[in-house]
Amino acid sequence: MTPAARLQAVIELLTEIDETPRPADAVMSAYFRARRYIGSKDRTAVAQTAYAILRRHARLCWWLERLGHPPTPRARALANEILSDGKAAATVKALFGSTKFAPAPLAPEEAKLANELDTHTLEHPQMPESVLVECPPWAEEPMRAAMGDRFAVEMRTLLDAAPLDLRINPVKANRESAIKALARARITAEPTQWSPLGLRVQGRPPLGTVDAFKDGLVEIQDEGSQLVAIAVAPKPGQQVVDFCAGAGGKTLAIAALMKNKGRVVACDVLAGRLKRAAERFRRAGLHNIEAHPLSSERDPWVKRHKRKFDRVLVDAPCSGTGTWRRNPDSRWRQLGPGLGELVPLQANILDSAARLVKPGGRLIYATCSLLPEENEKQVAAFLETHPDFSVLPVAEIWAEEGAGTPPAEGPYLRLTPARHDTDGFFAAVMVRKAEEDPAEAGEAADADRMEEAGPAASEA
């Protein structure tokens, strides 16, 4: 593809992302599947440019607003060429309308925009800090509360592209054998800093065609996500629930840590995701996983299995602020519930899932969020209403597992991109009392009866 044709593809891709209520990565995959004539190098170049524009959204839009121009895909792509790539306005203007596959010729106001942007750079002294670090208005206050004087450092790090991490499957490989298998495919991988199961890969190789991946020796999983699975500390032969399993990444890690022994139940309200996860389970050679779709977090299955599980992981739906490095569009596009809806939903899920934990068992609450409302405050609220649970410090779990020094200060696992070079994650491990208090058991039974009776009983 010529530079002009690549620019047109970027504009088309940005337009589809703007108009499609799906995550940007899914839109990109569909775009390239429908255009298989685009070669791999061109696909990479187009995708990288589109992602770069998404990462620079606030700064590009600040310039466009300053110059009185709407933030259309064409305008953002044009501004990116000048402000970010340092091209002269005349060079950029020449790309439009230059060939058959080039973008349409510039309108007069677009040509004027290019001239006004000429010789400027992406960042400007008058930009507010929130614009410089690409923090959306809805997240600025809670992000500042969470990070304090590290706000700018952490937010700057969230602008970088995330590294590609793999988790070895201990049922089929160890680190050394996985590194050798990847090397045969000319892929360089090194052990991760924190996870004993992790490998960090150089570049963005096409893993789908690599034998080590196809044979289930490795899975794609951010190092932070791996650490959440380690915090679950499952043992072979135990009964474990992944209550919000989604695509099954943490389910796989948990089942592998259990050495294919015991039982892992993968639950989710989206049955389609569990079906797709089944192929990952098969490829990994794991036979101790069963999938169970739920109608809601209050599905009757939960009550029928209360107090039967050694470990219950609640990887709750959240704002995803910790994943902004790999999902830059999610800062600006609300594709699911907002924070005001998520917080009560998380509380309800955690309350329901807690019923599954046996006396002496553990409840692990996790998010890929950096916001206190979804993390520490959520745990504190849960503990106030569930006195039979107490926090087990992460350091004690790491000591039990022989995993060395945990990447945590305080009782919880808190991971941030700037401190740990992982996605942002939070995890709290809570233990249910081994001996149940009769009064608490009676209160729990009353709550179950009220729930079964429905709203009318509560109103009565």
Side-chain angles (χ1 to χ4, degrees), residues 71 79 292 335:
H292 188 88
L335 300 178

Side-chain angles (χ1 to χ4, degrees), residues 125-376:
Q126 293 181 14
M127 279 184 179
E129 184 179 47
S130 59
V131 172
L132 286 168
V133 299
E134 300 279 332
C135 186
W138 68 266
E140 183 175 2
E141 184 178 342
M143 279 290 204
R144 288 187 182 278
M147 299 173 183
D149 59 5
R150 292 185 57 81
F151 172 77
V153 172
E154 291 290 351
M155 291 300 301
R156 281 284 188 186
T157 306
L158 279 168
L159 296 179
D160 299 334
L164 176 58
D165 292 340
L166 307 178
R167 177 186 52 78
I168 64 164
N169 177 4
V171 173
K172 291 190 173 186
N174 55 36
R175 266 178 164 172
E176 291 72 23
S177 63
I179 289 173
K180 290 178 181 177
L182 291 166
R184 287 194 288 272
R186 299 184 179 180
I187 295 174
T188 302
E190 297 179 349
T192 48
Q193 180 180 2
W194 304 105
S195 170
L197 301 174
L199 297 174
R200 182 152 292 179
V201 172
Q202 291 185 10
R204 285 287 188 275
L207 286 169
T209 62
V210 175
D211 288 341
F213 179 79
K214 292 192 293 184
D215 295 339
L217 276 65
V218 293
E219 279 283 341
I220 300 173
Q221 187 176 28
D222 179 77
E223 184 180 14
S225 182
Q226 297 177 36
L227 294 174
V228 172
I230 291 171
V232 176
K235 302 294 187 292
Q238 286 187 334
Q239 303 282 309
V240 180
V241 173
D242 186 352
F243 199 67
C244 306
K250 295 182 183 68
T251 308
L252 280 166
I254 290 167
L257 288 169
M258 294 168 66
K259 301 178 180 177
N260 239 346
K261 299 175 183 177
R263 176 189 179 210
V264 183
V265 183
C267 298
D268 204 277
V269 294
L270 299 175
R273 298 189 75 186
L274 290 178
K275 287 181 180 178
R276 291 191 293 275
E279 171 56 25
R280 300 178 71 187
F281 304 156
R282 184 203 62 76
R283 186 176 66 235
L286 295 169
H287 313 298
N288 59 338
I289 303 173
E290 61 184 74
H292 188 88
L294 300 175
S295 59
S296 73
E297 69 273 12
R298 295 287 172 180
D299 191 290
W301 180 89
V302 179
K303 185 176 181 232
R304 292 197 301 270
H305 292 82
K306 66 179 185 179
R307 298 178 177 84
K308 291 186 178 179
F309 289 90
D310 301 281
R311 303 282 190 271
V312 176
L313 170 63
V314 176
D315 184 14
C318 67
S319 63
T321 50
T323 66
W324 279 352
R325 294 192 303 175
R326 64 184 73 252
N327 301 309
D329 60 307
S330 64
R331 300 171 188 245
W332 312 106
R333 305 167 70 226
Q334 186 173 317
L335 300 178
L339 192 60
E341 298 170 86
L342 283 168
V343 170
L345 175 62
Q346 292 159 355
N348 198 28
I349 291 172
L350 189 55
D351 176 70
S352 182
R355 295 179 293 167
L356 296 167
V357 182
K358 64 165 49 173
R362 298 180 187 179
L363 174 66
I364 301 89
Y365 174 75
T367 73
C368 54
S369 171
L370 296 167
L371 305 182
E373 289 85 347
E374 301 181 276
N375 297 336
E376 295 89 348

Side-chain angles (χ1 to χ4, degrees), residues 11-26:
I11 293 170
E12 291 174 356
L13 194 45
L14 291 174
T15 301
E16 291 201 15
I17 291 171
D18 284 356
E19 296 176 351
T20 308
R22 298 177 65 198
D25 58 349

Side-chain angles (χ1 to χ4, degrees), residues 415-432:
L415 303 172
T416 72
R419 287 183 184 274
H420 305 102
D421 199 16
T422 68
D423 282 354
F425 275 99
F426 172 88
V429 181
M430 295 167 278
V431 181
R432 185 169 226 151

Side-chain angles (χ1 to χ4, degrees), residues 434-458:
E435 296 297 330
E436 195 170 29
D437 185 288
E440 291 172 357
E443 290 174 5
D446 289 343
D448 284 340
R449 282 194 293 272
M450 290 290 283
E451 183 177 329
E452 188 175 343
S458 300

Side-chain angles (χ1 to χ4, degrees), residues 66 122 131 233 442:
R66 178 185 178 91
L122 181 63
V131 172

